[in-house]
Amino acid sequence: MLILLPPSEGKTPAPPGPAVDLSALSFPALEVARKEVIEALTEVSGRDDALEALGVGASLAHDVERNLRLLTEPAAPAHLVYSGVLYEALGYRSLTPAQRRRADEWIVVVSALWGAVGFADAVPAYRLSMSTALPGLGRLAAFWKPRLAEALAARAADGLVVDCRSSTYAAAYAPPPASTVSVDVFRERDGKRSVVSHFAKHHRGEFVRHLLRRRGTAPATPEALLAVAREGWEAELVTATARKPSSLALILRD
């Protein structure tokens, strides 16, 4: 199984320790591209208009300034650096050792800076969105798309792909539709459904946690994933088409 997650917008800086080792990250074929993004991001982050170029406010100036030290900043496992709502609900620290090993094996984070990293890969905190355009590279989703397609091809071919990314990060990589299920969250009130935005992250995190903690074999088909979802949620499945993956809807009722 492959579980695709987006990075969190906010990131927790690593404690003092070694810096990132680019050659040690998962998907080594992306190393050259990672260096290109680091170089372009460093250049932008040192400009007078850095905040505007990166689409952030003055309160995040310190995060942008950290971009200037990406190769010397302390690094920590991705599951610690990424610390937003989804990751809090996933709760890596409270998993058993066996469940953590499963998380490290199954989860890949699609990143504007790294392209894709494993859950146990050590990376520094940074500030960069997949929707950003960097000089010489253009929009990062378009920059990464062909590179991720090649780098993740073998990994995505191993079995079911559970896609918990937001649309911004989904634009950077399209896994095989026939073996992929995107996870969406809806609220239903008086028979009408609406997309849940902020809370979607929380429920996706809880769903991934359920996948990691449950006993038995991992679901290998969209239909099996639906059965797993129904262990804890009201859920529906829209099956894949030639171009579009299956969609699993987690439904919250008021």
Side-chain angles (χ1 to χ4, degrees), residues 86 89-90 201-211 233:
L86 186 155
L90 190 157
K201 298 177 183 179
H202 174 82
H203 289 283
R204 284 174 177 144
E206 286 193 333
F207 181 62
V208 173
R209 180 177 177 84
H210 180 64
L211 285 172
W233 292 264

Side-chain angles (χ1 to χ4, degrees), residues 1-2 27 105-106 152-161 173 176 179 219-220:
M1 176 181 287
L2 170 61
F27 312 109
E105 177 184 351
W106 287 356
L152 295 177
R155 184 68 181 80
D158 287 345
L160 188 67
V161 179
Y173 170 61
S179 58

Side-chain angles (χ1 to χ4, degrees), residues 48-67:
D48 292 340
D49 66 342
L51 300 182
E52 180 181 357
L54 296 176
V56 300
S59 64
L60 298 176
H62 183 70
D63 288 356
V64 172
E65 193 268 339
R66 188 183 292 114
N67 287 344

